[in-house]
Amino acid sequence: MRTDSAVDAVVVGAGPNGLAAAVTLARAGLAVRLYEREATAGGGARTAELTLPGFRHDVCSAVHPLALSSGFFRSFGLTRRIGFAVPEISYAHPLDGRRAGIAYRDLDRTADALGSDGRAWRGLFGPLVARADEVAQFTGSHLLRIPAHPLAAAWFGARSLELATPFRSVRFSGEVAPAMLAGIGAHAIQPIGGLAAAGAAFSLGVTAHARGWPVPLSGSQSIVDALVADLLAHGGELITGTPVGSLAELPPARAVLLDVSPKGLLGLDRDGRLPRRYRRALARFRYGPGAAKVDFALAEPVPWAVPELAAAGTLHLGGTRSAIAAAEAAVAAGRSSDDPYVLVAQPSAVDATRAPEGRHVLWAYTHVPHGSRADPTEAITRQIERFAPGFRDVVLASAARSAERLAEYDPNYVGGDIAAGAADLRQLVARPVLSLDPWRTPLRGVYLCSSSTPPGPGVHGLSGWYAARRALAREFGIEAPSLQP
């Protein structure tokens, strides 16, 4: 793998975080080489024809709430580089009996639709939505740092604590609003009722009302393509189809940034250069439950029992708050749920490029025990059919990936854990170790920049951006460059 050409910095892994790191370093004028084991860049943000010709599916992430709020993507000017469709309905939550909670981008419209619980919903989210930029800065930073906006952090913390106590539903008289909060909280892949799920509910919930949950036109791959184009335009190299087996295989460089999990870093340290104490800390890093996914090619839109749901970009299936809590508790205990939580995205509802005319794609995943080999097709289909009778009749084809297969697709998803490490409160603070500079390893010039570092999971590029900025300052004495197009 070594080449004679000199490089200043090497990045391993061309997922969103690795690309963010490489772009930042190249913009600073460094000679940067980025290695990717697969034939194309993308990691968790690829788009491909997984079912039938002409049906373009997002391989992992599909809807991108953080694309509009991430400090990196905002600095990068992502919305000026690619197109987004932002549905009026950020997310929806169907319930039995042809009922549904609908989270519009408009907070007041959402509250009005909740009837007697609308005032409570407005009171819960209103102060945070008014400070949406400050909330995004807090949730997108390292939790050990002093928050730049203490008042927003205090509001966010108070709301999260409320949701993590037995008094979480005191504000509400009905079932719909608590179910909606459980649906967005389950994105954390943590037990409902804990602080991590509560934090996810408010972080994503604020974004839903402040900016919406956007769908990138032509698929998640467009985000990756924009990052790759910028890297190449600033002299960086992208070498695909090249697995890296050890740190010793890399060319000499003053900085090495690794978009890998702690397990991946241990595997790269074949000559035992990492200190024993740090190796033990990496070995203790915990991975959470897995995800299992199905992509569907559809002859027509999903026949939702509540017609308004056809316009939703994202839906959370699973019923009431208690039902979702039970499903997530079972998975956390290593058991599959008979009534699983299912997250559904409808990209072709807002982006006609995803499927042939009149046809549609549907993206769906559920949470499963770590490393599960079970095919999720029937469980997901049954849950969709529950809220959309006749769904099976519109399915033309499907493609499934178990948790085990997701881990094969991306080694950072250990056991199918798409969060690249359990995102509970402890591991959001110590990620992967307790440190004010968790991206830096004990090896000179070597940094971690994956979602296993702050601020954690999501397609936001922040982990790579933060690691690159630390490397620029420490290894080169260079300030972070402008990323504007």
Side-chain angles (χ1 to χ4, degrees):
M1 176 177 296
R2 288 175 177 267
T3 64
D4 294 331
S5 57
V7 292
D8 298 311
V10 169
V11 180
V12 176
N17 283 313
L19 283 164
V23 162
T24 304
L25 296 169
R27 284 281 192 132
L30 303 183
V32 179
R33 184 174 298 152
L34 172 58
Y35 291 102
E36 167 57 42
R37 74 173 197 140
E38 298 295 333
T40 60
R46 291 188 177 95
T47 304
E49 294 182 342
L50 301 177
T51 55
L52 299 172
F55 290 81
R56 290 178 53 76
H57 304 272
D58 290 316
V59 179
C60 290
S61 56
V63 180
H64 294 268
L66 302 179
L68 303 185
S69 61
S70 158
F72 169 73
F73 281 136
R74 295 179 76 181
S75 297
F76 184 67
L78 184 63
T79 57
R80 296 198 296 277
R81 297 172 187 261
I82 68 173
F84 285 93
V86 186
E88 283 297 317
I89 297 175
S90 294
Y91 65 91
H93 193 117
L95 291 159
D96 295 318
R98 296 179 179 268
R99 298 174 296 154
I102 297 178
Y104 298 96
R105 274 189 287 161
D106 185 326
L107 175 60
D108 289 332
R109 185 179 178 187
T110 303
D112 291 343
L114 285 170
S116 61
D117 280 335
R119 182 178 179 181
W121 188 271
R122 189 182 288 108
L124 197 62
F125 280 102
L128 295 174
V129 171
R131 296 175 173 84
D133 289 345
E134 298 173 5
V135 169
Q137 188 173 17
F138 170 66
T139 58
S141 64
H142 185 9
L143 295 183
L144 287 180
R145 302 290 175 92
I146 297 174
H149 303 282
L151 184 58
W155 271 103
F156 185 89
R159 293 291 188 259
S160 298
L161 283 169
E162 177 185 334
L163 205 60
T165 69
F167 304 103
R168 63 183 68 90
S169 297
V170 168
R171 288 176 180 261
F172 304 111
S173 59
E175 286 187 325
V176 177
M180 292 171 67
L181 289 171
I184 47 176
H187 282 246
I189 321 181
Q190 289 291 308
I192 302 300
L195 272 173
F202 284 112
S203 177
L204 294 171
V206 168
T207 302
H209 294 310
R211 299 188 180 89
W213 288 5
V215 175
L217 298 179
S218 300
S220 297
Q221 188 72 47
S222 62
I223 298 175
V224 169
D225 291 345
L227 290 166
V228 169
D230 194 85
L231 172 64
L232 299 180
H234 289 86
E237 297 177 75
L238 172 61
I239 300 178
T240 58
T242 305
V244 175
S246 74
L247 294 175
E249 295 178 11
L250 297 173
R254 288 173 64 181
V256 174
L257 281 78
L258 305 170
D259 186 359
V260 303
S261 69
K263 181 179 180 180
L265 176 54
L266 289 172
L268 291 173
D269 184 38
R270 293 191 176 180
D271 55 2
R273 293 168 55 202
L274 286 170
R276 184 176 302 175
R277 182 177 180 181
Y278 188 76
R279 289 183 63 89
R280 286 200 300 264
L282 295 183
R284 289 194 299 268
F285 188 74
R286 294 172 292 105
Y287 300 91
K293 178 172 175 282
V294 182
D295 289 283
F296 296 94
L298 305 180
E300 57 188 67
V302 178
W304 298 109
V306 177
E308 291 85 353
L309 303 189
T314 302
L315 298 100
H316 304 134
L317 312 185
T320 63
R321 183 203 177 277
S322 59
I324 292 175
E328 295 300 281
V331 171
R335 305 187 306 272
S336 296
S337 171
D338 294 330
D339 185 19
Y341 168 82
V342 174
L343 196 155
V344 173
Q346 303 184 117
S348 54
V350 292
D351 180 7
T353 69
R354 302 298 188 93
E357 186 175 358
R359 309 298 194 185
H360 288 268
V361 296
L362 195 73
W363 178 107
Y365 87 76
T366 188
H367 301 152
V368 295
H370 185 89
S372 171
R373 299 179 178 180
D375 185 320
T377 304
E378 177 54 30
I380 287 176
T381 300
R382 186 172 61 248
Q383 196 67 296
I384 298 174
E385 179 91 9
R386 171 182 170 185
F387 301 104
F391 171 69
R392 294 177 190 272
D393 297 333
V394 305
V395 175
L396 297 172
S398 65
R401 271 200 171 108
S402 65
E404 181 184 56
R405 288 189 59 202
L406 276 175
E408 293 170 356
Y409 164 78
D410 190 329
N412 284 1
Y413 300 160
V414 177
D417 176 9
I418 58 176
D424 56 18
L425 183 61
R426 173 185 168 189
Q427 285 201 170
L428 288 175
V429 174
R431 194 168 185 90
V433 296
L434 188 66
S435 170
L436 289 174
D437 190 3
W439 305 276
R440 181 182 167 212
T441 78
L443 299 181
R444 177 67 184 270
V446 178
Y447 296 78
L448 271 177
C449 67
S450 69
S451 293
S452 300
T453 66
V459 178
H460 44 58
L462 290 169
S463 301
W465 191 38
Y466 293 153
R469 290 165 65 180
R470 294 296 298 157
L472 285 173
R474 186 171 184 85
E475 310 303 332
F476 301 95
I478 298 175
E479 291 185 4
S482 169
L483 302 175
Q484 291 297 317

